[in-house]
Amino acid sequence: MKKRTFTFSNTSVDYFFDADFSHVEKLAPKENAVIITDEHIFAKHKKKFKGWNTIVLKPGEQYKVQQTVDVVVDQLIAFGADRKTTLIGVGGGVVTDITGYVAGIYMRGIRFGFAPTSLLAMVDASIGGKNGIDVGVYKNMVGLIRQPSFLLFDISFLKSLPKTEWQNGFAEIIKHACIKDAVMFRLLQKHKLSDFQKDPELLASLIEQNVLIKTKVVVGDEFEQGERKLLNYGHTLGHAIENMYELSHGQAISIGMTYAAVMSQQLKHFTGAELVVNVLEKYGLPTFAKFNTKKAFKILMMDKKKDNVSINYILLEKIGKGVIQPLLLVQIQDIFKQF
Ligand code: GLY
């Protein structure tokens, strides 16, 4: 196990790489902790939860809503959770979001940590402190930015991960490569999904690299005034179409990254759109899928990150270099008409 501590604006977070889940007990004693997980993880890893107060949620993005928060709060009260309690989210992005959000509001804020169990949660959702819930078609409409006390990466959780979940994780990994790391982009070109699935060392190193990319960006700009916006590459359109078509997050942002790469070609003289598309396809992700451009634009207009006339769209200058490009809403509307 390797421990690294990162300092954010008003807290520090301990990261445990190559860790075993059992180490969690050292970070939060069982008598003062409540685990939040979902039915899938609970069923697959029952033994791990022995002796822990555990709240088991229904799995799926459709449960990342206020009603689930209410249920969790009721159960915390029933467990007698108080200000000394640590909440531990053991699961994918839905579980970590709900856990972080509830920890932020329960008794005006209690300690929390994550043991992410999906690739997506390991390289993205568990990192950065943004934790929230969806409201209707609007993703993460309500939430907060508050860092966990610890993150524990136990890659043995990935053994039971379904293929679509691997693809979800790789969508965010490809995103990191596109905006920040040309060397990692070449590594992804060189390998294929099964290479990482078969080789725990290769996988652990890829996860650590991605955790560090995201962490470095967030440490530099925790409250998304600038650089952190780069992490939204593929997400502006991706979020709009994710719920419209019941796509997985990875599929949605993959389509978003594809069209953003094409836009980068038109607006930034980017020459690597084909390379981006090839890598996405190599990892089983959709690229030029057709979508209802009018409806997507309408949802995009409601995006919480826009002012009234423009949106900060993330484009690529070259592979490994994302840029923030303010675009007028009318300009986006025109561009979407071509798609
Ligand atoms: N929880 C994901 C993020 O902060 O970006």
Side-chain angles (χ1 to χ4, degrees):
M1 189 175 72
K2 183 160 71 180
K3 180 181 169 187
R4 284 190 67 173
T5 301
F6 293 92
T7 306
F8 292 78
S9 57
N10 54 11
T11 187
S12 60
V13 184
D14 293 329
Y15 287 48
F16 299 90
F17 293 104
D18 289 324
D20 189 278
F21 179 73
S22 58
H23 186 70
V24 164
E25 216 176 323
K26 303 238 163 54
L27 308 173
K30 282 182 175 165
E31 58 281 10
N32 269 337
V34 176
I35 285 182
I36 300 179
T37 190
D38 72 24
E39 286 172 359
H40 286 156
I41 302 297
F42 189 73
K44 281 180 197 146
H45 305 277
K46 241 185 194 129
K47 273 197 202 143
K48 289 193 165 74
F49 298 98
K50 216 167 157 224
W52 289 94
N53 291 321
T54 305
I55 297 173
V56 184
L57 308 177
K58 293 220 175 304
E61 181 81 25
Q62 71 269 36
Y63 295 103
K64 209 179 95 171
V65 291
Q66 183 60 39
Q67 211 182 340
T68 308
V69 172
D70 296 343
V71 171
V72 171
V73 167
D74 281 344
Q75 294 194 42
L76 287 175
I77 294 168
F79 276 133
D82 61 20
R83 288 199 181 87
K84 292 197 198 79
T85 302
T86 299
L87 288 194
I88 308 165
V90 183
V94 174
V95 167
T96 57
D97 260 274
I98 297 266
T99 304
Y101 181 52
V102 171
I105 57 173
Y106 188 74
M107 294 192 161
R108 300 195 190 92
I110 60 173
R111 184 174 180 261
F112 71 110
F114 296 143
T117 61
S118 70
L119 184 59
L120 177 73
M122 287 185 192
V123 298
D124 184 31
S126 67
I127 307 160
K130 283 188 189 173
N131 297 119
I133 52 172
D134 303 337
V135 180
V137 291
Y138 305 112
K139 294 188 53 64
N140 303 320
M141 195 53 137
V142 174
L144 34 77
I145 300 183
R146 185 166 175 265
Q147 301 301 330
S149 296
F150 60 85
L151 291 173
L152 181 140
F153 300 94
D154 176 348
I155 66 164
S156 74
F157 277 114
L158 301 179
K159 276 186 205 143
S160 56
L161 204 65
K163 187 153 184 218
T164 52
E165 276 300 323
W166 283 96
Q167 290 163 346
N168 272 336
F170 268 90
E172 295 291 356
I173 289 170
I174 294 167
K175 177 195 80 178
H176 286 155
C178 286
I179 58 164
K180 277 282 163 201
D181 196 332
V183 176
M184 192 169 78
F185 191 87
R186 284 196 286 278
L187 179 89
L188 295 169
Q189 285 178 308
K190 189 173 133 204
H191 289 285
K192 53 183 183 309
L193 181 56
S194 57
D195 297 343
F196 293 98
Q197 288 171 316
K198 281 191 282 205
D199 184 342
E201 266 177 38
L202 187 68
L203 178 63
S205 141
L206 184 74
I207 290 172
E208 190 170 333
Q209 279 183 66
N210 279 276
V211 169
L212 297 181
I213 289 174
K214 174 145 185 194
T215 301
K216 241 166 103 182
V217 171
V218 178
V219 164
D221 177 27
E222 190 172 354
F223 297 100
E224 202 167 313
Q225 298 306 301
E227 177 94 345
R228 187 171 180 168
K229 294 186 206 293
L230 293 179
L231 297 170
N232 294 326
Y233 176 56
H235 284 59
T236 309
L237 174 59
H239 275 169
I241 59 174
E242 185 167 342
N243 287 357
M244 262 169 75
Y245 295 103
E246 294 185 8
L247 297 169
S248 71
H249 183 67
Q251 291 170 329
I253 66 156
S254 178
I255 297 166
M257 285 191 273
T258 301
Y259 286 108
V262 171
M263 288 164 72
S264 306
Q265 229 162 234
Q266 297 172 1
L267 300 165
K268 299 294 292 171
H269 306 293
F270 174 57
T271 53
E274 204 181 323
L275 301 179
V276 173
V277 169
N278 288 345
V279 167
L280 291 168
E281 284 175 352
K282 186 170 192 185
Y283 288 86
L285 290 156
T287 52
F288 287 105
K290 290 278 161 227
F291 60 96
N292 181 333
T293 49
K294 263 197 195 144
K295 196 167 168 203
F297 181 73
K298 218 166 136 193
I299 296 180
L300 191 140
M301 292 247 291
M302 292 296 295
D303 195 294
K304 59 195 174 309
K305 295 177 193 97
K306 70 156 182 45
D307 59 35
N308 281 332
V309 286
S310 65
I311 285 185
N312 283 317
Y313 223 96
I314 307 308
L315 301 178
L316 301 179
E317 239 168 49
K318 55 184 182 180
I319 299 284
K321 188 166 183 352
V323 286
I324 304 163
Q325 178 76 38
L327 290 180
L328 295 174
L329 288 171
V330 284
Q331 220 177 339
I332 296 172
Q333 195 173 21
D334 276 351
I335 294 171
F336 273 22
K337 280 183 192 148
Q338 311 162 29
F339 298 157

